[in-house]
Amino acid sequence: MAATQTVTTDGRFGHDRRVTLPGRFALASGQALPGIDIAYETYGTLNADASNAILVCHALTGDQHVAGANPRTGKPGWWPRLVGPGKAIDPARHFIVCSNVLGGCSGSTGPASLDPATGKRFSMAFPMITIRDMVNAQARLLDHLGVGRLAAVVGGSMGGMQALDWAVAHPDRVRSVVAIATAARHSAQNIAFHEVGRQAIMADPMWQGGNYADNAPPAAGLAVARMAAHITYLSEAGLTAKFGRRLQDRTVLGFGFDAEFQVESYLRHQGLAFVERFDANSYLYITRALDYFDLAAPHDGVLAKAFAGTKTRFAVVSFTSDWLYPTAEARRIVRALNAAGAAVSFVELESPFGHDAFLLDAPEMVRVVDGFLRAGEQ
Amino acid sequence: MAATQTVTTDGRFGHDRRVTLPGRFALASGQALPGIDIAYETYGTLNADASNAILVCHALTGDQHVAGANPRTGKPGWWPRLVGPGKAIDPARHFIVCSNVLGGCSGSTGPASLDPATGKRFSMAFPMITIRDMVNAQARLLDHLGVGRLAAVVGGSMGGMQALDWAVAHPDRVRSVVAIATAARHSAQNIAFHEVGRQAIMADPMWQGGNYADNAPPAAGLAVARMAAHITYLSEAGLTAKFGRRLQDRTVLGFGFDAEFQVESYLRHQGLAFVERFDANSYLYITRALDYFDLAAPHDGVLAKAFAGTKTRFAVVSFTSDWLYPTAEARRIVRALNAAGAAVSFVELESPFGHDAFLLDAPEMVRVVDGFLRAGEQ
């Protein structure tokens, strides 16, 4: 077991609050980690009967700073419209917990952590992780924080997968689940896009089989991976509305390979900015965890069986223009929950912003979550 | 001007029939090439009044071998269901011409050609080309072949863009246009996907600013570019039907970074196979030509003006699951043609196969093209 002081993540990404959870941590793959660190934030106060805890789960490239500024970047939390004073998830009413996922690069144990057996970074010797492993690490964190049963688990995208998996893995510890812009499995197309990103990273000679130096990451490959993924977070209509065929810093075509179109410049910026805040190996491991996700797989492909006997209430939200996790996937979840006799409310919201809609201004989504959570608190 | 004997393309790709068209070839960018070579195939015989010529235009990664085997690879032509004896485009009735596009790598002048001014490959000194330049090069080839007016220009995807542009650039030389699975402009999302591919190639250190050796191309970058593009040629439903979440050569998850899912293995194969048959710099130039394509741009964005006064007949075909050039783009073309008073027939065909549908078994498409061409021959 590594002590808190000696386990570090890539220095570029760092951490804030972190707990070392000692003891062998068993993984879905059959492998194990020799203790794990989890970086997390909390907001608000756990009430006397420990009944007001809400776990917020982040997406692929998110972190524990769901509300309030990220102390390193100074940027605001990633879900300010939903989480914060006076919001649907409110520190005045809730004890809000958000942790960096296992495998991540914002303070929790991941491939950039030091392997106590060697004293070097795990890199590609890090064991493969799954959504279930992320959930079990969160459960250990909640044990540490004195939270037995959660009032709710709330998440979008990969965060929504964790929320759904909480109800499957720890049914007695979850009163309510809010799963937004998500799916109960990764589709072939989802896997295909992730594979492009992984191949881009692994094709970068700077990747060095995962053993890149801190100051020499596979930046070009990671940027390309982010660019490809970023397209899937937006919609065709949204891209057209935002950029169309407008030119960047010019009025006529330049007939060169510079970024001539605004959309090119935007994508390049997205790629470069991502390299500053994310670890390439973490990207490999977390995309793989997403690809492995298929709640129905252990149940002969019958999703309803995964939720059999559930007492958890569910709210499922999708967005019309989300083609990464389209409404059809949300409906599949809802059908399975109905078949399992679960209490479930479902809404598809109009939005032109694609998958990213859940992170943007979505007042209807906020109202849905607020109403659902308040109903559960009565 | 380079003589036929000395102008070569990348030796891996070669050529078969090729004509050197001497004299300065002016380009849309304002630059020029000192003469061009065009590699082409013909099938059938030009009739006495030279009225039975059909030009078939290939897509981004196609070549001149539309019917019958490619003499180098031994593989069958790329559109055997539409072009060939007894097919809708039939060498018994038509004089069929198909040429490798300007900028290509299958024998026509492109970035891998030798620059007569230096005796070295053009590489990134090759001037930027456009769809209009491709069309004008085809017009020069048809001059050489004694074809004045075409019975039809037929193409899918980028080939459809050339077909549409033929009616705009050379209205008196085109009786009929068949534009399949295409658009009159590249959308922001189209540009975005191409930019990912270009960045993947240019991020590969083997690219060397375009000056890679013949036996050391930027294979990894080009493979990633192809993988990303290939996803856009298929549909989510098609990928699910073909691969779903099925595993490759295993029955349980391997928890590693090998290709565990069939869709990963398929995509990797697509990437690797592409490197064997395509030049990375050509990919950069041709994707750029596609991104520049916007028939309405010289007409204040009013597409109908591009077709003003046209006497050409048009058939426009789209496929329900094509999200690269969706039916909405086909309808935009049809509306503009209607506004321009053109004779146009339009059909959206059901297919689960996405953009690639036009290259696959599509008997309805064949019937539409056959009927349209025969009506024009009466």
Side-chain angles (χ1 to χ4, degrees):
Chain A
M1 185 202 90
T4 304
Q5 288 73 12
T6 58
V7 176
T8 62
T9 57
D10 186 314
R12 291 178 303 154
F13 308 110
H15 68 95
D16 305 292
R17 293 172 72 184
R18 185 163 59 178
V19 62
T20 295
L21 302 166
R24 183 177 183 276
F25 185 83
L27 299 164
S29 67
Q31 293 189 266
L33 282 164
I36 57 172
D37 290 350
I38 296 297
Y40 67 99
E41 285 288 352
T42 67
Y43 313 86
T45 309
L46 190 63
N47 60 11
D49 60 353
S51 65
N52 69 332
I54 293 183
L55 176 68
V56 180
C57 302
H58 71 71
L60 169 52
T61 68
D63 57 36
Q64 63 271 36
H65 305 292
V66 61
N70 179 319
R72 282 182 307 287
T73 65
K75 288 189 176 177
W78 53 265
W79 222 354
R81 293 174 181 86
L82 193 69
V83 184
K87 307 293 182 183
I89 301 174
D90 187 343
R93 293 191 293 133
H94 301 122
F95 178 58
I96 306 161
V97 180
C98 185
S99 62
N100 184 218
V101 294
L102 188 67
C105 55
S106 191
S108 292
T109 297
S113 301
L114 299 185
D115 180 353
T118 65
K120 297 178 179 172
R121 295 194 191 290
F122 281 103
S123 299
M124 301 309 283
F126 195 70
M128 202 63 77
I129 48 155
T130 65
I131 300 291
R132 177 63 53 89
D133 297 328
M134 296 176 187
V135 163
N136 287 344
Q138 289 158 347
R140 290 285 308 276
L141 170 66
L142 294 173
D143 294 342
H144 168 77
L145 296 173
V147 176
R149 192 158 182 234
L150 286 159
V153 186
V154 181
S157 194
M158 187 179 87
M161 296 179 191
Q162 294 164 64
L164 291 170
D165 198 43
W166 258 94
V168 174
H170 304 283
D172 299 332
R173 293 186 72 169
V174 196
R175 288 214 306 275
S176 306
V177 158
V178 179
I180 304 174
T182 194
R185 67 177 167 203
H186 239 214
S187 73
Q189 190 181 71
N190 294 152
I191 296 170
F193 274 113
H194 274 175
E195 176 65 2
V196 169
R198 286 190 293 263
Q199 291 295 314
I201 291 168
M202 296 166 97
D204 187 336
M206 301 298 283
W207 182 60
Q208 297 278 338
N211 297 310
Y212 47 86
D214 290 3
N215 60 356
L222 183 59
V224 168
R226 175 62 168 182
M227 289 171 67
H230 199 80
I231 300 174
T232 71
Y233 303 153
L234 309 174
S235 71
E236 198 278 338
L239 279 167
T240 297
K242 192 168 183 177
F243 303 110
R245 296 181 47 82
R246 282 188 294 280
L247 301 178
Q248 178 77 15
D249 301 332
R250 62 184 74 215
T251 54
V252 294
L253 291 178
F255 292 106
F257 285 103
D258 292 341
E260 293 200 42
F261 295 100
Q262 287 181 10
V263 67
E264 293 178 304
S265 178
Y266 171 79
L267 267 192
R268 289 186 191 185
H269 171 76
Q270 292 294 329
L272 293 174
F274 186 59
V275 169
E276 294 298 313
R277 72 177 180 86
F278 215 82
D279 176 59
N281 285 343
S282 268
Y283 195 81
L284 296 177
Y285 276 88
I286 299 177
T287 56
R288 205 69 170 137
L290 278 159
D291 292 349
Y292 284 144
F293 188 62
D294 182 3
L295 272 181
H299 303 280
D300 307 318
V302 182
L303 185 57
K305 291 186 186 173
F307 297 111
T310 186
K311 298 285 184 295
T312 304
R313 311 161 61 236
F314 293 82
V316 177
V317 179
S318 71
F319 293 94
T320 49
S321 58
D322 183 352
W323 60 281
L324 187 68
Y325 304 128
T327 292
E329 294 294 328
R331 287 191 195 284
R332 179 173 175 262
I333 297 168
V334 172
R335 278 196 305 271
L337 289 169
N338 284 332
V344 52
S345 60
F346 165 60
V347 61
E348 179 190 36
L349 299 177
E350 285 282 342
S351 171
F353 298 119
H355 180 64
D356 263 358
F358 81 96
L359 292 170
L360 304 175
D361 190 30
E364 281 186 286
M365 177 190 83
V366 172
R367 278 196 293 273
V368 167
V369 175
D370 188 47
F372 178 78
L373 292 178
R374 286 184 187 276
E377 290 161 16
Q378 286 167 352
Chain B
M1 186 200 89
T4 304
Q5 288 74 11
T6 59
V7 177
T8 62
T9 57
D10 187 313
R12 290 178 302 156
F13 308 109
H15 70 95
D16 306 291
R17 293 172 71 184
R18 184 163 60 176
V19 60
T20 296
L21 301 167
R24 182 176 182 276
F25 185 84
L27 300 164
S29 67
Q31 293 189 267
L33 282 164
I36 57 172
D37 289 351
I38 296 296
Y40 67 100
E41 286 287 353
T42 66
Y43 313 86
T45 308
L46 190 64
N47 61 10
D49 59 353
S51 65
N52 69 331
I54 292 184
L55 177 68
V56 180
C57 302
H58 70 71
L60 169 52
T61 69
D63 57 36
Q64 63 271 36
H65 305 292
V66 61
N70 180 319
R72 281 181 309 286
T73 65
K75 289 191 176 175
W78 53 266
W79 220 354
R81 292 174 180 87
L82 193 69
V83 184
K87 306 294 183 182
I89 301 174
D90 187 344
R93 293 190 293 133
H94 302 121
F95 177 59
I96 305 161
V97 180
C98 185
S99 61
N100 184 219
V101 295
L102 188 67
C105 57
S106 192
S108 293
T109 296
S113 301
L114 298 185
D115 180 353
T118 65
K120 297 178 179 171
R121 295 195 192 288
F122 281 103
S123 300
M124 301 309 282
F126 195 70
M128 201 64 77
I129 49 155
T130 65
I131 299 291
R132 177 63 54 88
D133 297 327
M134 297 176 187
V135 164
N136 287 342
Q138 289 158 348
R140 290 285 308 278
L141 170 65
L142 293 173
D143 294 342
H144 168 77
L145 295 173
V147 176
R149 193 160 183 233
L150 287 159
V153 185
V154 181
S157 195
M158 187 179 84
M161 295 179 193
Q162 294 163 64
L164 292 170
D165 199 43
W166 257 96
V168 173
H170 304 283
D172 298 333
R173 294 186 71 169
V174 197
R175 287 214 307 274
S176 305
V177 158
V178 179
I180 303 173
T182 194
R185 65 176 169 203
H186 240 214
S187 73
Q189 190 181 70
N190 293 151
I191 296 169
F193 274 113
H194 273 176
E195 177 65 3
V196 169
R198 286 190 294 263
Q199 291 295 314
I201 290 168
M202 295 166 98
D204 187 336
M206 301 298 282
W207 182 60
Q208 297 280 336
N211 297 311
Y212 47 86
D214 290 3
N215 60 355
L222 183 59
V224 168
R226 175 64 168 181
M227 290 171 66
H230 200 81
I231 300 173
T232 71
Y233 303 154
L234 309 173
S235 72
E236 198 278 337
L239 278 166
T240 296
K242 191 167 184 177
F243 303 110
R245 295 181 48 82
R246 284 189 293 281
L247 301 178
Q248 178 77 16
D249 302 330
R250 62 183 75 217
T251 54
V252 294
L253 291 177
F255 293 107
F257 285 103
D258 292 342
E260 293 199 44
F261 295 101
Q262 287 181 8
V263 67
E264 292 178 305
S265 179
Y266 171 79
L267 266 193
R268 289 186 192 186
H269 171 77
Q270 291 293 329
L272 294 174
F274 187 59
V275 170
E276 295 298 313
R277 70 176 180 88
F278 215 83
D279 176 60
N281 285 344
S282 269
Y283 195 81
L284 296 177
Y285 276 88
I286 300 176
T287 56
R288 205 69 170 136
L290 278 159
D291 292 350
Y292 284 145
F293 188 61
D294 182 3
L295 272 181
H299 303 280
D300 306 318
V302 182
L303 185 57
K305 291 185 186 173
F307 297 111
T310 186
K311 299 287 185 291
T312 304
R313 310 161 62 236
F314 293 82
V316 177
V317 179
S318 70
F319 293 94
T320 49
S321 58
D322 182 353
W323 59 282
L324 188 67
Y325 305 128
T327 292
E329 293 295 329
R331 287 192 196 282
R332 179 171 174 263
I333 296 167
V334 172
R335 278 196 304 272
L337 289 169
N338 284 332
V344 52
S345 60
F346 165 60
V347 62
E348 180 189 37
L349 299 177
E350 284 283 341
S351 171
F353 298 119
H355 181 63
D356 264 358
F358 82 96
L359 292 170
L360 304 175
D361 190 30
E364 282 186 286
M365 178 190 82
V366 172
R367 277 195 293 274
V368 166
V369 175
D370 188 47
F372 178 78
L373 292 178
R374 286 184 188 275
E377 289 162 17
Q378 287 167 354

